[in-house]
Amino acid sequence: MVLAQDRDRFAREPAYHYLLRKEFEEHGTTIRALNDRGDDSPEGELTDGILDQLAKFERAKIAERSRRGKLRKAREGKIVAGHTPTYGFRYNEARDAYVVHEERMHVVRHIFGMFSEGMPLHAVKRVLEREGVPTPPKPKKREGAPYWSKKTIRDIVLDDAYRPHTHGEVLGLVSPEVAGRLDPKRRYGVWWFNRRRTTHKTVAEVGVDGQREYNKRQKTVEKPKSEWVAVPVPDPGIPRELVDLARLAIKDNRPTSRAGDRFWELSGGVFYCGGCERRMSANRVLQPKTKKPAHYY
């Protein structure tokens, strides 16, 4: 038997709870909670089903209240703290505003400076790797990786937190209360909240060993700009002309097509390069310039 304090500790989705119970029964094990009815009678199943539906309702209400609280905080001109701040910034002691992280912001200024010199995106990536500059750290990690992705650099270039806005421009993005706290003589970057909607779901798949396993999937879509909430952040110290030049340089760039990727049976669909630890593709299309199949197997 697997015992829990409450039924919602196993799952807050009744369907997931049912699937777990059936899978445990296949191995001769039951799952029980201290607030179960305690029997398999129709009345017991009804009571347990009501508890499961209440747990699902409670989860939805918690998520709704959290969204409302975060929106209120952002509309008050405060940062909604996440796992890691925007690269080049750090949180203040209250974790509701950004402070410039000079060491990392120096890297951001270096990136924009290389674009202003006419360097393409791939060349900027190679320079950062050659100089040993670590990438922005991922959640729950203090240090970044040695190899940069083009998407990371592109996201930095397109982030409005690095583009200085005049006081007049910010006035049109925030509420009068927030605007009243700003210095008219200073410039500000803009951090956007409520920009994307991310949904999560759990799917059952058969692993490489033939056993069933549950994996999480997430899908992110961008919301209409009318729903975005602007939060002023400190001026990163990057001239606006450099930001506009960098954006113009990558305007016509397109991500590499992944249409040729396919499942590879030998290792569950994923291979990694032993040298750089990057994911490898099953494509064997030659690079148009180098004519070499880089990072393919």
Side-chain angles (χ1 to χ4, degrees):
M1 178 184 294
V2 179
L3 185 65
Q5 176 73 30
D6 297 298
R7 291 177 63 84
D8 60 10
R9 296 303 85 200
F10 290 115
R12 285 184 178 267
E13 173 59 53
Y16 297 161
H17 193 284
Y18 174 81
L19 291 173
L20 284 174
R21 181 162 59 88
K22 290 299 182 182
E23 185 168 351
F24 272 71
E25 288 177 356
E26 293 177 2
H27 297 277
T29 307
T30 59
I31 56 177
R32 293 290 186 186
L34 297 184
N35 65 340
D36 280 344
R37 170 66 181 262
D39 57 49
D40 296 326
S41 65
E43 292 80 7
E45 291 185 359
L46 175 62
T47 303
D48 292 342
I50 293 174
L51 291 175
D52 293 343
Q53 291 296 333
L54 288 175
K56 181 179 180 179
F57 169 77
E58 184 183 18
R59 180 189 61 180
K61 293 302 294 184
I62 291 173
E64 180 185 355
R65 296 187 189 105
S66 298
R67 284 194 296 268
R68 286 205 308 261
K70 291 177 180 179
L71 275 172
R72 173 71 177 270
K73 187 175 182 179
R75 288 167 179 161
E76 292 175 350
K78 300 177 181 179
I79 292 290
V80 180
H83 291 293
T84 54
T86 302
Y87 188 66
F89 296 94
R90 58 181 175 84
Y91 295 122
N92 63 353
E93 293 183 0
R95 290 179 62 85
D96 60 0
Y98 274 164
V99 179
V100 174
H101 191 302
E102 286 297 337
E103 181 180 353
R104 293 178 178 175
M105 190 60 74
H106 176 73
V107 176
V108 177
R109 295 172 187 144
H110 183 35
I111 291 174
F112 282 101
M114 286 187 284
F115 278 110
S116 68
E117 297 173 359
M119 297 179 64
L121 181 60
H122 186 75
V124 173
K125 162 185 162 63
R126 290 303 186 192
V127 169
L128 292 173
E129 294 173 350
R130 186 168 61 250
E131 294 178 350
V133 179
T135 65
K138 293 184 178 180
K140 300 181 180 180
K141 291 188 177 182
R142 295 184 178 180
E143 298 182 357
Y147 297 98
W148 287 71
S149 71
K150 295 180 182 178
K151 181 182 183 302
T152 299
I153 301 174
R154 181 182 178 86
D155 289 344
I156 289 176
V157 172
L158 298 178
D159 197 327
D160 283 338
Y162 307 117
R163 189 173 189 264
H165 295 69
T166 63
H167 183 262
E169 291 173 328
V170 177
L171 288 181
L173 301 175
V174 299
S175 64
E177 292 78 10
V178 176
R181 300 196 301 265
L182 302 179
D183 186 348
K185 298 180 181 180
R186 297 180 59 183
R187 291 193 170 194
Y188 297 88
V190 175
W191 179 79
W192 294 102
F193 178 72
N194 201 41
R195 183 172 179 176
R196 298 178 179 88
R197 178 184 292 109
T198 302
T199 56
H200 301 266
K201 68 177 182 179
T202 303
V203 296
E205 298 177 340
V206 178
V208 294
D209 55 356
Q211 299 295 321
R212 186 189 299 116
E213 58 185 30
Y214 295 94
N215 297 316
K216 293 186 179 296
R217 297 284 184 269
Q218 75 174 34
K219 180 180 180 182
T220 303
V221 295
E222 194 161 281
K223 296 182 179 180
K225 197 166 185 178
S226 59
E227 299 182 21
W228 299 4
V229 180
V231 179
V233 298
D235 183 2
I238 304 172
R240 185 163 177 165
E241 296 76 16
L242 294 188
V243 178
D244 293 339
L245 282 174
R247 293 184 177 185
L248 184 63
I250 66 172
K251 179 174 65 70
D252 297 326
N253 289 6
R254 294 292 181 270
T256 304
S257 173
R258 300 180 63 86
D261 286 3
R262 62 184 177 85
F263 180 84
W264 192 256
E265 296 82 358
L266 293 181
S267 65
V270 179
F271 269 143
Y272 292 92
C273 176
C276 67
E277 299 182 355
R278 283 180 290 180
R279 184 181 181 276
M280 299 169 66
S281 170
N283 263 334
R284 292 198 61 87
V285 180
L286 298 182
Q287 298 285 344
K289 294 183 179 180
T290 62
K291 302 299 181 182
K292 295 180 180 179
H295 297 288
Y296 293 129
Y297 56 83

